[in-house]
Amino acid sequence: MGFQEKSNIAMLVLTGGVYAWYFISSAGVLFGGSVSPEEALALTNLKMLVTVGAIIIASIIAHIAIAIAAPSDANEDADERDKLVEMRGDQRGGLVLALFALAAMASAMMAQPYHLIANLVLAGLVAGELVKGVSKLIDYRQGV
């Protein structure tokens, strides 16, 4: 298993774990209706920033650990297979992101609260990254 594949697995686990925590812990605020849209936006904004910071820090630590475990793999450039796997993952993740963007646009046109629209955009970004990661994992395991 090369550095690119290990990196993909690390990012898939980190993204899935951090944003699962975010959406599960924010579900009451987003769909409960017990707080005003302004309060809901303020509550979720802080969590959004914390999750972005957590992902950045955790991914740096994970990649350093992967590089320390196999320094020769970390210095290798991406080969043609890695580039093709990356491209296919980008295509599939981009499609999912586009679908969520259309849903967010439809929500805005129906005058939904803006905290829901912001979280729908975030959900699209996360879903796109998860689809990209799973696609890459399948392509690495089954071959391109």
Side-chain angles (χ1 to χ4, degrees), residues 2-64:
F3 181 81
Q4 303 292 332
E5 190 174 356
K6 291 175 188 171
S7 169
N8 179 55
I9 291 171
M11 291 307 298
L12 190 58
V13 169
L14 289 172
T15 303
V18 168
Y19 285 104
W21 168 80
Y22 171 80
F23 285 112
I24 289 171
S25 67
S26 299
V29 173
L30 294 173
F31 304 111
S34 60
V35 296
S36 70
E38 293 80 16
E39 290 175 277
L41 186 63
L43 291 170
T44 57
N45 278 350
L46 179 61
K47 281 186 182 178
M48 279 187 198
L49 294 175
V50 168
T51 57
V52 170
I55 286 284
I56 290 170
I57 292 169
S59 67
I60 290 170
I61 292 170
H63 283 89
I64 289 172

